[in-house]
Amino acid sequence: MSKFQIDIDFGNVDFSSLETEDDFQAEAKKLLPAALVKLGETIGEKTWEELQKGGKASGGKLKSSQSEKRKFIQETGKNYQRSASNRERQELEEYIVEQLRKHKQNNG
C-alpha cells in the first residue's frame, strides 16, 4: 500500500510486546490519530504547492508566507483526521500494521 507517503513515529512502540495479530492491531489503533494528521498535512502541503502554482499561472497574488503555509498545512491535517472516512482509516491502519511488521523484522 505505497499510496501513503508518511513517516510514522515508532519511537514509543515496544516492539518486543508485538507478537499476535491483536497486538499489532492495537498498536496501529494507538498510532492512527497521529498518522491521520500526518497524512492530512502531506495532502495540505501538496495542495498548497498546487495553489501557489495555479495562482502564479493566472497572475493572481497569493499569500505565500511560511507562517500562512504552516497554518494551512496544520489545519488541513486536523481536518483530515476529523473527516477521514472509515475506509481511509481502515486502509491507513492496515498500512501501519504492515510498517510495524517491517520495522520489527528489520530491527530485531
Side-chain angles (χ1 to χ4, degrees):
M1 209 176 276
S2 61
K3 74 178 192 174
F4 299 113
Q5 299 297 320
I6 58 170
D7 292 322
I8 300 168
D9 180 13
F10 292 137
N12 296 324
V13 176
D14 177 11
F15 284 93
S16 65
S17 70
L18 301 179
E19 296 177 12
T20 68
E21 182 63 28
D22 288 343
D23 294 339
F24 282 95
Q25 292 289 335
E27 192 62 43
K29 284 187 188 316
K30 288 183 207 170
L31 296 170
L32 184 61
L36 283 165
V37 170
K38 277 200 168 217
L39 183 56
E41 288 176 347
T42 300
I43 293 167
E45 191 163 2
K46 288 181 180 171
T47 302
W48 179 268
E49 291 168 6
E50 290 301 315
L51 289 171
Q52 296 303 310
K53 288 177 191 171
K56 288 177 185 171
S58 65
K61 191 165 188 157
L62 296 172
K63 295 179 184 176
S64 59
S65 72
Q66 284 298 95
S67 63
E68 286 290 326
K69 179 180 179 180
R70 186 171 47 254
K71 183 178 176 186
F72 178 84
I73 290 169
Q74 288 172 340
E75 286 178 11
T76 305
K78 290 175 188 172
N79 288 337
Y80 186 81
Q81 180 189 30
R82 286 192 296 269
S83 65
S85 71
N86 287 339
R87 181 171 175 238
E88 290 168 319
R89 290 174 186 274
Q90 183 62 40
E91 287 178 358
L92 184 54
E93 194 174 306
E94 289 170 7
Y95 173 77
I96 294 169
V97 168
E98 184 181 305
Q99 295 305 304
L100 286 167
R101 288 185 194 288
K102 283 183 184 176
H103 193 277
K104 182 173 179 159
Q105 182 180 355
N106 293 339
N107 296 305

